[in-house]
Amino acid sequence: MIANSVLRAAGYSHFTQKVSPQLSTASLHGLQLGAVGVYETLCSRNKRQFDVRDSNGELITNYLTVQSSTANKRTMFASFLDMTKVNKICGEHGLIFRDRITFVDEWTVRLTGRVIPNGKENNGNIRNGHPVVSRYDERKKGLQARTNVWVDRFLDSGMTKAQVKTLAETSGTAKKQIEEKVKPLRKDVKAKQTSQTDLSRKVAYGGGTYEGLRTARESLREARRALIPCEESLQQQRQLSYCYNKMAKAAETCKDGQSSGPSTSTSTPSVPTWEQPAVEDFCEYLDLTQLAEGSTNNRAVVYGGTDYGVCKMSETVGMTEAELQRHINRYYQLHSDSTDNQGMDLDQSRAMKPKTITADLLNDVSHTKAMLVRRQRRLEDNVGVKQAMQDVSEASKTVNLSMTMKTIDAAQAVRRNARSTLREFEWSGTQRKAKHHQQLQTTRAISKICAEERRFVQKSYNQDQESASTQSQLDPIDGWCQECSQHHISHGPEELKYRHPQQCPKTAPHMMPVMFIGAAGTGVGSRIGGHNRRGGTKLRKEHSRYCPVAVTDEFNTSKLCVECYQRLQYAKSSRIVKGKIQTVRVKGAQECVNPDCESVRRGHTIRARDTNSAAAIAIAGASTILHPEKKRLPPFSRDLPLPTTTTTTTPH
């Protein structure tokens, strides 16, 4: 309590700790029951309890007998449940019942089982192809357990402790030299940026000339051309300095003759196929060879990049393999030694339109708002429950701000008195049935939204002229198909009018989306408040049931332009702050300031931050999967080449 008082006085009230647990009366906690739990609940020695016999026909008199064998556990469940139906339900979901249930309420009982491997059969249960266990989660646990990553890098380098220490000092000195060189260039760019902003404001209000503004803009471009190469060199030197300093610290803990830990590069890759495409793994371990070999005129692979955020649940862009190859080859052409870049295929890049999923969208599709409105109406009709909720709310505030134990005891007494009233309302049959219905609605809504997201990625596939000629085209007026001799009409869930598809659904290609999803988190638990969260892993898990999901490292994906691979900066805007015109940064938009960037030349200098990040995630993941050695594109790679090794990079 003293610590909480100090934190509140210092202005850090969000760091205070709860003095006592404050459980929500609306939360329903499930009861997990194994074979022993079922015995103690239904077969104890009290009156009106059941008698169960074991596999040998002897009466079970204690829980030790239940634990003695698997047959006794199955007998315990078979005494109260229809095991034929239980095994059938588990088999339909690719599981084998593992003698454990969770009782939620009279409408919901959850069964726990073990996953049946793909294509396997066990006791009549056939796996349906949907993954329940993620290889990504398994590998992530192994990576989190590794605490000696820098020790392994030091040992693999083959250098001595003195060499690493010397390289750390040398890289630090080089970094300081480049920083001294960059400082005057930054000041020059800042001064010219301010001059251009002032001139643009004068021109807007009729106080300047366009000739002076044009001259200021050209001067700013030249200053940025001089600064950008130095900034790139400084960034590379900072990465080297960071790497060598980490290795130097790790070298101090190494013993003589110590060897590196087991390598994870030889781990078994995940290989999705057209028959079993459901896979979730790191992009470094994903092998799409069989998908590429199985691609024909009626089969194609498309790629989608997804960036999870705080304001938005996810933002996705779709890209074809040809577009990804152009982005990858563009990097090698821009960073090649040759100065002739006239052969670059820059004009074929298209403006990417994202698919956005927000918590409000999920609330609308799952009818969550309607359920809350109905709950609020029931509260208005029950004055006693509403008053009890207000009393509990005031008591909770009192507990958080209390200074003595007497105040806490009084507040807890108020909570205890209101407990029965609130439980009668929250645990009533109507409310529990509504919660169960809402869970089903949310599950269906997530499935529906994810299906729309995959269809959005599939629409990014532009058919070649050769493949389009082999498909049946429909009459654009009435949708008449010559091959099927019928009219084709279709409409999506987001469309209000019926429309005619451009191609016959029977001959249209089957497109397999490969979802590249960022591994930096889903925004849940962020310190940035004010945004409703509905979870993020549910979306990824839903995608992994129907298509390959490649979890991709988000290193530099939100910082680099996908056209020129140079650093982005926040877009700036003029706002009136306290009666004065000031230039502020817009956090949701980014601006490319490289004068030689093709998108800047076309006038596309500002783009949405999440859209650019989603496209960069797709490029980074695709460059890893398509490379024969699973190497990521250099601007998105954390690995730096050591000075004792020589590496060569070639276009994909």
Side-chain angles (χ1 to χ4, degrees), residues 296-298 461-471 473 509:
T296 59
N297 290 337
N298 289 329
Y461 175 72
N462 297 322
Q463 298 174 348
D464 298 334
Q465 188 68 23
E466 179 182 357
S467 61
S469 61
T470 62
Q471 296 166 357
Q473 301 295 322

Side-chain angles (χ1 to χ4, degrees), residues 1 20 28 51 72 182 201 218 229 277 287 327 337 410 432 439 455 520-521 533-535 559 617 638:
M1 290 186 290
S20 62
L28 297 179
D51 293 334
N72 290 343
V182 168
R201 290 174 181 172
E218 186 60 32
D287 186 3
H327 280 284
D337 297 334
R432 282 186 291 174
Q439 290 179 354
R455 284 194 294 268
R533 307 303 307 167
R534 292 300 300 270
K559 298 179 180 179
I617 288 172
R638 295 180 184 269

Side-chain angles (χ1 to χ4, degrees), residues 339-358:
T339 58
D340 184 14
N341 293 330
Q342 296 181 358
M344 287 191 297
D345 196 9
L346 297 175
D347 293 334
Q348 295 189 22
S349 59
R350 60 182 176 87
M352 290 168 290
K353 296 182 179 180
K355 173 69 174 179
T356 304
I357 297 176
T358 61

